[in-house]
Amino acid sequence: MIRTFSCAALLCVLAAPLFSAAGQETIRPFSTVGVGVKISTLGPGIEVATPLTEHLNLSGGFNMFRYDRNFSSNGVSYAAELRLRSAELHLDYFPFKHGGFHISPGALIYNGDQATANASIPGGDTFTLNHVDFMSDPASPVTGTPKLDFVKAAPMILAGFGNLIPRTKHWSVPFAVGVVFQGTPKIGLNLSGNVCAPDGTNCRSIASDASVQANIQAQQDRYKSDFNVAKYYPIISIGIGYKF
């Protein structure tokens, strides 16, 4: 009888940490994993989370998206590509026991978001840089590889509802909004070839002409000003997850 009681008592002691006062399973660090897919302004992605405490998760994921488009602007033809590639990591703090509300400070630990293009101006065609008209030299037409990109890592903050590791079920629908503080983008037109006056005279190399270089720099500064709002990149995300 004493042996039976002792064994039962020992089992109770060992099992006690696994359950809360309400009889629910207590969260242990890294005791389970939740996996989800999502759509966000960073692109479609996959995310994973694991608990650290009853109120804190460690989560991360990656996002990928690509969009190609051809267009013309100021006499320049562009074959452009928008590429969103990023990896993120955050701590999800749940201040309340129920409801799923969370605040998630974190970072884009890799920010590969960028826009690139191949630019061309056929020889004899005119185009504009910084409100100044030029002609593309037929003997050496103007080409370029414009690029817009950002710093490779940036802090972020999110807030939302839903938990990839729900306490009493397996499925979840996480939703979050927030912002990435990625700074002003870097922009380069990277033009090469020769330009002439609009009437076809005074042809010279882009690389060696100071006045052309000054107009290129001024045009890049104008574009940078236009994209300055992107230094605070907004995030809206919704997905579906499953806890294993």
Side-chain angles (χ1 to χ4, degrees), residues 149-225:
D149 61 3
F150 299 86
V151 294
K152 295 307 178 185
M156 62 191 297
I157 183 73
L158 300 172
F161 293 89
N163 189 345
L164 270 180
I165 311 170
R167 302 307 186 235
T168 59
K169 55 186 178 180
H170 288 281
W171 292 98
S172 60
V173 183
F175 171 79
V177 296
V179 63
V180 178
F181 304 95
Q182 61 185 355
T184 302
K186 295 176 287 185
I187 298 176
L189 292 178
N190 306 318
L191 298 180
S192 60
N194 294 349
V195 296
C196 311
D199 60 3
T201 62
N202 189 28
C203 296
R204 66 274 194 198
S205 169
I206 288 176
S208 60
D209 189 279
S211 65
V212 177
Q213 287 294 320
N215 281 297
I216 290 174
Q217 184 60 55
Q219 186 67 62
Q220 289 177 167
D221 291 343
R222 293 171 66 88
Y223 287 146
K224 183 180 290 188
S225 178

Side-chain angles (χ1 to χ4, degrees), residues 59 69 92-93 106-107 122 125 128 133 144 147 149 165 194 202 205-206 243:
S59 65
R69 182 189 174 194
D92 305 318
Y93 173 62
D125 285 4
T128 302
D133 292 333
K147 184 177 181 180
D149 61 3
I165 311 170
N194 294 349
N202 189 28
S205 169
I206 288 176
K243 181 188 74 173

Side-chain angles (χ1 to χ4, degrees), residues 78-133:
Y78 296 94
E81 175 187 286
L82 172 65
R83 186 173 63 188
L84 303 181
R85 292 182 181 176
S86 60
E88 53 188 301
L89 188 68
H90 1 81
L91 289 173
D92 305 318
Y93 173 62
F94 297 84
F96 310 114
K97 187 172 182 180
H98 301 289
F101 174 75
H102 61 88
I103 300 172
S104 303
L108 287 186
I109 56 176
Y110 170 69
N111 183 5
D113 295 350
Q114 62 177 214
T116 59
N118 290 316
S120 62
I121 303 101
D125 285 4
T126 59
F127 66 103
T128 302
L129 286 172
N130 190 38
H131 303 299
V132 178
D133 292 333

Side-chain angles (χ1 to χ4, degrees), residues 66-80:
R66 174 177 169 174
Y67 176 69
D68 298 325
R69 182 189 174 194
N70 297 330
F71 66 96
S72 296
S73 177
N74 294 325
V76 184
S77 297
Y78 296 94

